[in-house]
């Protein structure tokens, strides 16, 4: 009886370990994922041993009920003690193995700021129905955004900034109706913004600077009620600014600098809730609208390097606040108004115009 009792206990222990540990299929998928990567300095994968990948495997967390792998969180820049001890940020080479797609309950994939990871985004991630976060910022990933990215109906964060991604923004991206944060900055994306970009109704940040995007700003983008931050700077955007952008409820930052946008600047931009407005280095024409008032509050207002003419509107003095303003490199003329905000601005804000005068420039 004693032998049978011990055998039963042993069987229970093994069964418990299987039930409470991660499934062998998830463990195998993680080890295949690890095999495609090389991390020489920190030893972050040293903890990936033993049968239970839900227990103390660095950067891996599991659903407490199903014990399936739910999150992979590997950041190359972190305040984790492993980085403190090494006195360095992370560096990793290799590629993201498609084996990651065998983790069918994944909710987040964060493989960020490793600087050396290359290869492409595995196309199969679009078949992971529970994905909410994809964050691959700060690597050397190339290729295109998967064409059917729009399948990820639960996705709230898509961050692939600071990589080498090329091609067009796939049309299906506008199916991501839960998306709140879109960061595609500093890649090699080309083509136009999807015409139905406004379908991203939950979007609060759209960061697309430092690419090779062309075409106009879709006017319907103003229908994205929650959009607070729109950055299209350092692209090849053309056409005019839709006047409706100045009527957006929560838009606070609008960066359109270093593009090929032309026409007049819509007056609505100066009486909106926008507090950071950078329109520099474009081809804007006409005059600066004389519409400033108590609703005009700018931490940054940069209209430099355009083809603006006429005088500086006197109504600028009635703005509730202007921190930094740059009107240099235009064709402005006349006397610089006195008082705030002009009394705290330097000459560099006004130089290289046709005939501006008065403080801080030479007397009229």
């Amino acid at each position: 009886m004693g032998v049978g009792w011990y055998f039963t206990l042993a069987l229970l222990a093994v069964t418990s370990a299987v039930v409470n540990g991660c499934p062998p299929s998830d463990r195998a998928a993680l080890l295949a994922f690890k095999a495609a990567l090389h991390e020489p300095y920190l030893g972050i994968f040293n903890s990936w041993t033993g049968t239970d990948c839900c227990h103390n495997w660095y950067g891996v967390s599991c659903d407490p009920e199903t014990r399936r792998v739910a999150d992979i969180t590997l950041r190359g820049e972190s305040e984790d003690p492993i980085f403190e001890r090494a006195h360095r940020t992370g560096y990793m080479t290799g590629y993201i193995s498609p084996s990651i797609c065998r983790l069918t309950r994944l909710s987040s994939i964060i493989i960020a700021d490793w600087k050396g990871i290359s290869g492409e985004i595995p196309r199969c991630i679009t078949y992971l129905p529970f994905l909410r976060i994809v964050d691959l910022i700060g690597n050397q990933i190339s290729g295109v955004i998967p064409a059917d990215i729009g399948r990820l109906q639960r996705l709230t964060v898509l961050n692939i900034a600071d990589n080498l991604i090329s091609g067009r923004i796939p049309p299906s991206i506008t199916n991501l109706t839960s998306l709140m944060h879109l960061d595609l900055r500093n890649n090699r994306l080309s083509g136009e913004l999807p015409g139905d970009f406004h379908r991203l109704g939950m979007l609060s940040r759209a960061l697309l600077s430092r690419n090779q995007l062309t075409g106009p700003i879709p006017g319907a983008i103003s229908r994205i009620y929650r959009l607070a931050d729109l950055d299209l700077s350092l692209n090849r955007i053309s056409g005019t600014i839709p006047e409706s952008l100045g009527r957006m409820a929560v838009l606070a930052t609008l960066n359109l600098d270093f593009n090929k946008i032309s026409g007049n600047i819509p007056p609505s931009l100066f009486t909106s809730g926008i507090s950071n407005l950078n329109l520099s280095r474009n081809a804007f024409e006409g005059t600066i609208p004389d519409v400033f008032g108590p609703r005009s509050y700018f931490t940054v207002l940069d209209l430099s390097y355009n083809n603006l003419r006429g005088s500086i509107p006197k109504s600028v003095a009635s703005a509730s606040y202007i921190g930094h303003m740059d009107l240099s490199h235009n064709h402005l003329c006349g006397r610089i108004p006195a008082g705030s905000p002009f009394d705290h601005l330097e000459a560099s804000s006004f130089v290289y115009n046709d005939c501006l005068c008065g403080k801080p420039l030479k007397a009229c």
Side-chain angles (χ1 to χ4, degrees):
M1 178 175 174
V3 173
W5 174 246
Y6 283 121
F7 178 77
T8 304
L9 278 179
L11 189 63
L12 282 171
V14 169
T15 305
S16 173
V18 170
V19 170
N20 292 324
C22 72
S25 57
D26 278 14
R27 179 178 178 274
L30 283 172
L31 292 176
F33 164 77
K34 169 191 166 185
L37 296 167
H38 178 58
E39 191 282 297
Y41 300 114
L42 302 171
I44 64 161
F45 291 126
N46 291 351
S47 62
W48 286 29
T49 59
T51 56
D52 186 5
C53 60
C54 296
H55 181 66
N56 289 340
W57 281 36
Y58 184 89
V60 177
S61 60
C62 298
D63 183 290
E65 293 180 6
T66 65
R67 306 302 288 171
R68 296 293 309 278
V69 173
D71 305 292
I72 294 176
T73 306
L74 299 173
R75 296 187 185 276
E77 295 180 5
S78 167
E79 294 181 0
D80 189 280
I82 200 168
F83 293 86
E84 302 280 328
R85 288 194 296 269
H87 302 291
R88 62 170 296 137
T89 59
Y91 181 76
M92 198 187 303
T93 56
Y95 63 95
I96 299 171
S97 168
S99 64
I100 201 172
C101 303
R102 305 208 303 264
L103 302 168
T104 54
R105 301 292 299 193
L106 268 182
S107 174
S108 62
I109 300 173
I110 301 173
I111 306 168
D113 294 311
W114 291 100
K115 307 170 192 67
I117 294 176
S118 55
E120 300 189 359
I121 301 170
R123 294 179 189 177
C124 57
I125 68 162
T126 63
Y127 289 88
L128 295 174
F130 300 101
L131 266 187
R132 295 179 185 276
I133 297 172
V134 173
D135 185 351
L136 307 176
I137 187 174
N139 289 292
Q140 294 188 42
I141 298 169
S142 57
V144 300
I145 300 171
D148 53 353
I149 190 80
R151 292 171 53 94
L152 298 174
Q153 293 293 298
R154 289 181 170 88
L155 202 66
T156 60
V157 174
L158 177 59
N159 185 353
I160 54 174
D162 300 331
N163 278 287
L164 303 170
I165 308 288
S166 57
R168 302 172 74 90
I169 298 173
S172 80
I173 204 168
T174 62
N175 293 331
L176 299 176
T177 51
S178 299
L179 197 65
M180 298 179 192
H181 181 99
L182 176 64
D183 194 345
L184 308 179
R185 288 175 297 176
N186 198 24
N187 278 287
R188 297 174 178 177
L189 295 166
S190 57
E192 300 188 5
L193 286 176
D196 59 348
F197 198 78
H198 62 277
R199 292 180 60 213
L200 298 171
M202 299 295 288
L203 202 61
S204 64
R205 304 189 80 198
L207 310 177
L208 298 101
S209 63
R210 291 184 184 272
N211 280 287
Q212 298 158 24
L213 300 173
T214 55
I217 302 168
I221 208 168
S222 60
R223 293 191 216 163
I224 306 177
Y225 180 82
R226 292 174 171 81
L227 191 62
D229 190 346
L230 177 59
D231 189 350
L232 295 171
S233 60
L234 292 134
N235 278 288
R236 299 169 187 171
I237 304 289
S238 57
T240 59
I241 297 181
E243 193 268 340
S244 56
L245 289 190
R247 296 197 301 270
M248 295 179 68
V250 294
L251 188 65
T253 297
L254 179 60
N255 289 334
L256 302 177
D257 46 303
F258 285 89
N259 276 291
K260 299 179 178 181
I261 307 170
S262 56
N264 293 341
I265 301 174
S268 59
L269 297 185
F270 299 105
T271 56
S272 66
I274 298 172
S275 58
N276 186 332
L277 179 62
N278 192 339
L279 306 180
S280 66
R281 296 180 188 269
N282 278 284
F284 292 111
E285 302 164 338
T287 59
I288 301 172
D290 192 5
V291 294
F292 291 80
R295 279 180 55 83
S296 309
Y297 182 102
F298 292 100
T299 52
V300 174
L301 175 58
D302 193 342
L303 308 179
S304 63
Y305 290 91
N306 280 291
N307 296 315
L308 299 171
R309 299 183 180 276
S311 59
I312 299 174
K314 288 187 170 58
S315 64
V316 173
S318 65
S320 62
Y321 177 77
I322 297 181
H324 171 79
M325 181 167 70
D326 193 345
L327 305 177
S328 65
H329 296 85
N330 278 287
H331 300 288
L332 300 173
C333 228
R335 182 185 295 273
I336 297 171
S340 179
F342 303 99
D343 49 11
H344 74 257
L345 296 173
E346 297 181 5
S348 57
S349 293
F350 305 102
V351 294
Y352 296 102
N353 276 286
D354 288 0
C355 46
L356 282 179
C357 61
K359 285 186 177 182
L361 299 181
K362 65 181 190 307
C364 294

